[in-house]
Amino acid sequence: MKTKAVRLYGKNDLRLEEFDLPAIKEDEILAKVICDSICMSSYKATHEADIHKRVPRDVAQNPIIIGHEFAGEIVEVGSKWKDEFRVGDKFSIQPALNYEGSPMGIMGSPGYSYRYIGGDATYVVIPNEVMEKSCLLHYTGPGFYPASLAEPLSCVIGAMHANYHTVQGSYVHTMEIKDGGNMAILAGVGPMGLAAINYVIHRHDRRPKLLIVTDIDQARLDRAELLYGKEDAARNGIEIKYINTKEMLDPAAELKALTEGGAGYDDVFVFAPVAPIVEQADAILAIDGCLNFFAGPAKTDFKAPFNFYNVHYTRTHITGTSGGNNNDMVEALEMMSKGLDPAGLVTHIGGINAVIDTTMNLPNIPGGKKLIYTHLSMNLTPISEFKTKGQTNPVYARLNDICEAHNGLWNIEAEQYLLDNADKL
């Protein structure tokens, strides 16, 4: 079986190549990748290469396939797994295997560490350890892109579950966000922030009573409010406010004043690795408030001041998460199978030919998630430009009509039309 894939050979050295996959062993599975969502983590791995914690040191001799937010369908199943998986099954993958014996110790991951599995490929061989760790997950919902976006959604799910609060006078730590509390998502209208807003609004077991979302980009705030507005939140008992802090003289004081009695926020999530935002988050914490530093800094020496007077006297605390676990992925897939649509995260569509430039320049490309369909040849295209391109290309014209009928968002109908009509490799 031949595959086409984008492989990493070294720092800033990505190559789109065709090569042979080995025949699968009895404990492996052959799969067809349909789509992959490009993540900032792939950008970081590309720029760090063999110094990245998940990339093998011999990547120059044994290049790895990049991409870890992918979905597809199973083509062939080794005998060991025939009772659990069937040809034609749709799947998503939890890339954070965390198993002993991986190419990078406990940090081995598809999309970072393997020669024959990664999201930016047409076909892949799924190794035994993925199934052993229950990281190959069934997806029974419509389409494929929701399963691809289950991984980023699982990251914000994990963050919510990782927050904790204390019981005064005891040593009990209660995990989770505070039900009925105040929540702030700072720098929160990028792709991962949108995923967090979507999850917070639509989960059913617990939710805040007040949710404020901040940024300094009004256009992005307006789009977030269009996607996840006040009425949608109110139906689930949440008051949501989108706040532009750019012109505020004292953002922390003004944000805190939005809470009842100026009490502050029980759960604060930081979605950008910017020291002033971390300080702002610290300053708006309520008594027993928990700050979750979600954003992954590129610099290993990133630091920000923190008020340890409040740690001592008002029990404020800090946590951080990087990725979700299997349970978080299962929760994400279940929510999507029941109708949670992550389409609001997606702003660009492309084919496998667009992967290298997109990955290398990801921080400089505005918008949200860049969704790649690996069996197609298509330049990375904003959904907002489908109409213009449709003046000369009937495929884009039809895609524009379909997306406009879905509030300008990517959707299952558009995905199927693209797969049926776009240029194949």
Side-chain angles (χ1 to χ4, degrees):
M1 169 69 73
K2 288 189 178 295
T3 188
K4 273 194 174 180
V6 176
R7 295 200 286 184
L8 177 66
Y9 281 81
K11 293 179 182 178
N12 303 319
D13 187 359
L14 291 175
R15 308 177 196 177
L16 175 58
E17 301 174 314
E18 184 175 58
F19 55 94
D20 289 314
L21 291 174
I24 67 166
K25 302 172 186 174
E26 64 177 17
D27 60 357
E28 295 177 330
I29 289 176
L30 178 68
K32 178 181 180 180
V33 178
I34 301 297
C35 57
D36 177 64
S37 172
I38 297 181
C39 177
M40 272 297 294
S41 295
S42 292
Y43 165 83
K44 294 173 186 175
T46 297
H47 285 264
E48 294 177 4
D50 59 354
I51 67 171
H52 190 280
K53 63 183 180 181
R54 295 185 179 183
V55 176
R57 300 296 174 255
D58 66 346
V59 67
Q61 294 76 40
N62 294 294
I64 58 93
I65 302 174
I66 66 167
H68 60 277
E69 299 178 358
F70 61 103
E73 56 189 8
I74 291 173
V75 174
E76 184 180 352
V77 182
S79 59
K80 178 177 178 178
W81 300 106
K82 285 189 178 296
D83 291 338
E84 295 185 40
F85 300 96
R86 300 284 188 274
V87 172
D89 284 355
K90 295 195 291 187
F91 70 87
S92 181
I93 279 187
Q94 163 59 269
L97 301 186
N98 295 327
Y99 78 99
E100 298 291 344
S102 71
M104 290 298 296
I106 64 169
M107 298 302 290
S109 300
Y112 298 93
S113 316
Y114 287 92
R115 296 179 65 188
Y116 301 123
I117 181 173
D120 292 313
T122 52
Y123 293 90
V124 296
V125 175
I126 305 176
N128 178 64
E129 52 265 27
V130 173
M131 285 72 79
E132 287 283 2
K133 299 297 291 185
S134 301
C135 289
L136 180 61
L137 303 170
H138 291 281
Y139 173 64
T140 59
F144 289 93
Y145 76 84
S148 177
L149 294 171
E151 196 280 333
L153 180 58
S154 78
C155 296
V156 300
I157 291 174
M160 300 291 165
H161 294 334
N163 265 32
Y164 68 96
H165 299 279
T166 61
V167 178
Q168 190 170 13
S170 77
Y171 300 111
V172 175
H173 287 195
T174 303
M175 301 305 298
E176 264 287 3
I177 64 169
K178 185 175 181 179
D179 195 23
N182 299 323
M183 178 185 292
I185 299 177
L186 307 186
V189 290
M192 298 305 291
L194 293 176
I197 298 165
N198 195 6
Y199 175 70
V200 170
I201 289 176
H202 295 110
R203 69 182 295 192
H204 298 294
D205 56 332
R206 60 175 58 226
R207 57 179 68 94
K209 66 180 179 182
L210 172 66
L211 171 61
I212 66 115
V213 181
T214 74
D215 206 88
I216 58 172
D217 186 324
Q218 191 59 48
R220 297 210 308 174
L221 283 162
D222 291 342
R223 182 175 184 270
E225 186 167 7
L226 178 66
L227 295 173
Y228 310 114
K230 295 179 180 179
E231 292 183 1
D232 190 16
R235 281 193 291 270
N236 291 297
I238 300 171
E239 180 184 8
I240 190 170
K241 297 181 179 181
Y242 291 92
I243 309 292
N244 190 330
T245 57
K246 187 175 183 179
E247 305 300 331
M248 287 183 172
L249 295 177
D250 189 345
E254 293 185 51
L255 293 175
K256 205 166 183 179
L258 296 174
T259 63
E260 186 176 350
Y265 296 86
D266 304 289
D267 298 283
V268 180
F269 295 85
V270 174
F271 274 76
V274 179
I277 296 178
V278 177
E279 293 184 67
Q280 184 184 111
D282 178 24
I284 66 175
L285 287 171
I287 294 173
D288 190 41
C290 185
L291 187 161
N292 189 305
F293 183 64
F294 183 89
K299 295 183 178 180
T300 58
D301 60 350
F302 177 83
K303 298 176 183 178
F306 198 78
N307 189 326
F308 280 89
Y309 180 92
N310 288 341
V311 171
H312 185 80
Y313 286 105
T314 63
R315 311 191 324 276
T316 61
H317 30 270
I318 186 168
T319 189
T321 49
S322 176
N325 62 25
N326 283 21
N327 290 335
D328 301 325
M329 280 285 290
V330 170
E331 183 177 348
L333 290 166
E334 286 180 349
M335 291 184 74
M336 290 176 182
S337 295
K338 294 176 181 178
L340 180 73
D341 192 346
L345 279 68
V346 180
T347 57
H348 294 65
I349 305 297
I352 198 169
N353 58 300
V355 170
I356 293 176
D357 286 344
T358 302
T359 303
M360 295 285 290
N361 299 293
L362 194 57
N364 302 316
I365 305 174
K369 280 290 186 181
K370 285 69 183 177
L371 188 62
I372 299 296
Y373 287 89
T374 62
H375 287 260
L376 304 181
S377 178
M378 176 183 179
N379 292 334
L380 188 71
T381 306
I383 295 171
S384 61
E385 293 184 8
F386 283 175
K387 185 175 183 179
T388 300
K389 288 184 175 292
Q391 294 173 2
T392 56
N393 186 318
V395 173
Y396 283 108
R398 179 58 184 149
L399 284 173
N400 178 68
D401 291 342
I402 296 171
C403 290
E404 283 194 347
H406 290 80
N407 199 28
L409 300 178
W410 194 240
N411 56 86
I412 300 299
E413 183 183 357
E415 177 179 77
Q416 190 58 57
Y417 179 83
L418 180 75
L419 291 173
D420 291 342
N421 295 278
D423 291 336
K424 304 298 189 292
L425 285 176

